């Protein structure tokens, strides 16, 4: 449904002010869909077909905690942490700001595995002041990159029960 004005409504005199319209502004690409919603609209999409969930990883004897690398530098986008020398590394219980940090101009990358309890649709959120991203199974799921005030971004994905590789970076 769409109309030119936010407060538009149908009347007996003008029954077609708000009316259904065919929606075609979407793009399918592999296992994702990109949708451009028109302003002042309600869009219903019906997706049919079969979706094969990517398999979970077979992790033998997982250890608790998540690995981290702490980096110092000045960036306006998330750097390629793998190509930078870490000031320190370790294992922590949760993804939080390191207690010992330079206060400015630092970044952290966390890498490990997350155990998904059941097949299903999952949403992940990142809230950061400046850039952050979350990769799941080596694909960016949440992109909250760039210099900005605190803001939250999210990403939704279908996952199979079991272990999945997770990587979270921020600066």
């Amino acid at each position: 449904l769409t109309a030119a004005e936010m407060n538009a409504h149908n009347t007996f005199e003008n029954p077609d002010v708000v009316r259904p319209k065919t929606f075609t502004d979407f793009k399918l690409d592999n296992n994702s869909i990109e949708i451009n919603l028109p302003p002042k609209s309600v869009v219903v999409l019906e997706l049919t077909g079969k979706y094969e969930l990517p398999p979970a990883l077979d992790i033998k004897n997982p250890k608790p905690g998540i690995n981290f690398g702490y980096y110092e530098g000045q960036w306006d986008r998330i750097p390629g942490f793998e190509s930078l020398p870490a000031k320190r590394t370790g294992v922590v219980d949760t993804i939080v700001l390191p207690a010992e940090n330079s206060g400015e101009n630092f970044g952290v990358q966390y890498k490990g595995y997350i155990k998904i309890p059941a097949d299903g649709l999952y949403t992940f959120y990142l809230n950061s002041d400046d850039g952050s991203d979350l990769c799941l199974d080596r694909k960016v799921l949440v992109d909250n990159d760039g210099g900005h005030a605190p803001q939250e971004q999210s990403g939704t994905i279908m996952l199979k029960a079991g272990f999945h590789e997770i990587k979270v970076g921020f600066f």
Side-chain angles (χ1 to χ4, degrees):
L1 292 176
T2 187
E5 300 296 324
M6 187 67 176
N7 61 350
H9 60 280
N10 293 344
T11 64
F12 287 111
E13 295 79 30
N14 296 307
D16 293 320
V17 174
V18 179
R19 60 183 174 78
K21 180 180 173 185
T22 301
F23 179 76
T24 59
D25 199 3
F26 65 92
K27 180 172 58 173
L28 290 171
D29 182 25
N30 272 339
N31 290 328
S32 67
I33 184 170
E34 183 178 314
I35 303 167
N36 295 308
L37 296 174
K40 301 176 284 293
S41 66
V42 175
V43 174
V44 176
L45 296 173
E46 181 178 345
L47 305 174
T48 59
K50 210 172 188 178
Y51 180 77
E52 293 293 325
L53 292 176
L57 300 172
D58 185 20
I59 305 293
K60 304 287 187 209
N61 302 317
K63 296 177 183 163
I66 188 161
N67 298 306
F68 78 92
Y70 172 84
Y71 306 83
E72 291 183 352
Q74 192 165 357
W75 310 283
D76 44 353
R77 306 242 6 120
I78 294 174
F81 286 117
E82 285 79 9
S83 65
L84 297 174
K87 291 282 185 185
R88 68 178 186 275
T89 60
V91 178
V92 291
D93 293 330
T94 59
I95 298 175
V96 295
L97 282 174
E100 296 176 21
N101 64 65
S102 64
E104 294 277 334
N105 303 322
F106 72 93
V108 181
Q109 184 180 62
Y110 295 92
K111 291 198 278 187
Y113 300 96
I114 184 171
K115 187 174 184 183
I116 300 300
D119 292 1
L121 186 65
Y122 291 85
T123 302
F124 293 80
Y125 299 87
L126 282 180
N127 189 318
S128 64
D129 183 354
D130 285 335
S132 62
D133 68 0
L134 184 148
C135 298
L136 208 53
D137 295 331
R138 301 183 183 197
K139 295 178 187 157
V140 176
L141 178 63
V142 183
D143 183 354
N144 198 6
D145 203 1
H148 51 74
Q151 70 180 20
E152 183 175 271
Q153 297 290 333
S154 65
T156 302
I157 188 170
M158 291 286 297
L159 293 172
K160 197 147 189 71
F163 287 97
H164 294 268
E165 184 178 355
I166 188 169
K167 183 170 66 169
V168 177
F170 68 89
F171 71 94

